[in-house]
Amino acid sequence: MSKFSLKGKSAIITGGASGIGKAISTTFAQQGAHIHILEFNKESGEQTIEEIKNAGGNANFYPCDVSNHKQVQEIIGAIAENHNIDILVNNAGIAHVGNVENTEESDLDRVYNVNVKGVYNCIHAAIPKMKAQGGGVIINMASIASSVGISDRFAYSMSKGAALTMTYSVAKDYVNDNIRCNCISPARVHTPFVDGFIKKNYPGKEDEMFEALSKTQPIGRMGKPEEIANLALYLCSNEASFITGTDFPIDGGFIKLNG
């Protein structure tokens, strides 16, 4: 068997139909995993499933709002009736721009419900299944904003800090159940979200702002979704069986080389 193979494994990936999540879904499928995408956007979900199947992979799509506890429980329960839950990647998330003064309570609630409660909902549903089957791997998508100050990202930083500390807690509590839990903390990654953000906020200056944002990374460019997916693949593979309770910044040098 080749290294980093996921053949015979089943992976749940939230937000798995766009950006980093889509890259993880397609990469894991290429390595033999049966993919279960939980995605809010039905059109993107169906399109990604079709692409995976056309490439010879196995995948299913479940329309899902990860902030809805009952819905998550029902979907993961249904998946577990026919598949092990070998891997859970908590990738679904939303962003918010603003400091504490211009973050409304409704903004905070919205970010919390998806980025914090959504992670809790999925872990809460998956852990009993993983325990019963003898183990599993959980990846939480955090951010460099979990550990360093980022301007105008109050609510987002709060939520990703929670993802980081949930990772530590779950890793500690379930290490004896053969459940590994790690998190990945990307810096800015070039996704459709970034393009949309620039187009919305800097009309007519898209190229200029893209270059400026790219240069905020010491390495001189944004990350690629596939680069994050490759790290996730390693952490979910048997080759990473000694790794748990760890945060993995993938940031082009942002944390250590800025300042």
Side-chain angles (χ1 to χ4, degrees), residues 13 42 121 140 142 195 205:
I13 302 167
K42 183 178 179 181
N121 285 341
N140 296 324
D195 291 335
K205 298 182 178 180

Side-chain angles (χ1 to χ4, degrees), residues 23 48 74 76 110 116 141 146 183 188 191 213-214 230 232 236 241-242 248:
T48 301
E74 290 175 349
I76 292 182
R110 182 173 61 90
V116 181
M141 199 61 62
S146 304
C183 68
R188 187 168 279 114
T191 64
L213 291 174
S214 298
N230 288 336
C236 291
S241 60
F242 198 55
F248 287 84

Side-chain angles (χ1 to χ4, degrees), residues 16-18 22 37 39 41-49 61:
S18 64
K22 182 175 182 178
I37 293 177
E39 170 67 47
N41 187 306
K42 183 178 179 181
E43 182 179 353
S44 297
E46 292 176 343
Q47 180 181 343
T48 301
I49 292 301
F61 163 58

Side-chain angles (χ1 to χ4, degrees), residues 11-244:
I12 295 175
I13 302 167
T14 71
S18 64
I20 292 172
K22 182 175 182 178
I24 293 174
S25 295
T26 55
T27 297
F28 282 22
Q30 289 165 4
Q31 293 302 111
H34 189 127
I35 306 302
H36 303 274
I37 293 177
L38 275 59
E39 170 67 47
F40 188 77
N41 187 306
K42 183 178 179 181
E43 182 179 353
S44 297
E46 292 176 343
Q47 180 181 343
T48 301
I49 292 301
E50 183 178 358
E51 291 176 16
I52 290 173
K53 289 183 176 179
N54 287 343
N58 294 310
N60 298 96
F61 163 58
Y62 309 83
C64 181
D65 174 1
V66 295
S67 71
N68 185 318
H69 184 81
K70 182 179 178 182
Q71 188 178 69
V72 170
Q73 291 281 334
E74 290 175 349
I75 291 173
I76 292 182
I79 293 171
E81 289 180 3
N82 299 302
H83 304 271
N84 277 352
I85 300 178
D86 301 297
I87 297 166
L88 168 64
V89 180
N90 285 307
N91 170 77
I94 59 175
H96 179 263
V97 177
N99 59 32
V100 67
E101 291 179 282
N102 51 37
T103 298
E104 299 296 332
E105 182 181 11
S106 58
D107 298 326
L108 189 71
D109 288 343
R110 182 173 61 90
V111 172
Y112 176 87
N113 284 336
V114 176
N115 294 6
V116 181
K117 187 182 176 187
V119 173
Y120 156 77
N121 285 341
C122 294
I123 294 176
H124 187 265
I127 284 282
K129 315 300 184 186
M130 289 183 170
K131 288 173 66 178
Q133 71 196 23
V137 182
I138 299 170
I139 299 292
N140 296 324
M141 199 61 62
S143 166
I144 56 168
S146 304
S147 52
V148 298
I150 306 293
S151 299
D152 288 326
R153 295 296 187 276
F154 174 76
Y156 181 77
S157 297
M158 171 275 298
S159 70
K160 293 302 182 178
L164 173 65
T165 52
M166 280 192 285
T167 299
Y168 296 151
S169 181
V170 169
K172 180 72 172 178
D173 286 340
Y174 298 99
V175 65
N176 293 326
D177 294 294
N178 197 31
I179 296 172
R180 298 190 295 109
C181 185
N182 295 294
C183 68
I184 295 174
S185 290
R188 187 168 279 114
V189 177
H190 186 199
T191 64
F193 173 83
V194 170
D195 291 335
F197 174 82
I198 293 174
K199 184 176 181 180
K200 178 182 177 180
N201 292 279
Y202 305 98
K205 298 182 178 180
E206 287 89 350
D207 292 343
E208 177 185 341
M209 286 308 304
F210 182 85
E211 183 177 357
L213 291 174
S214 298
K215 288 181 177 179
T216 63
Q217 321 303 307
I219 207 168
R221 65 171 176 85
M222 296 187 196
K224 301 174 183 177
E226 294 76 15
E227 292 171 317
I228 315 303
N230 288 336
L231 175 56
L233 172 63
Y234 168 66
L235 292 174
C236 291
S237 71
N238 291 336
E239 282 70 26
S241 60
F242 198 55
I243 301 175
T244 191

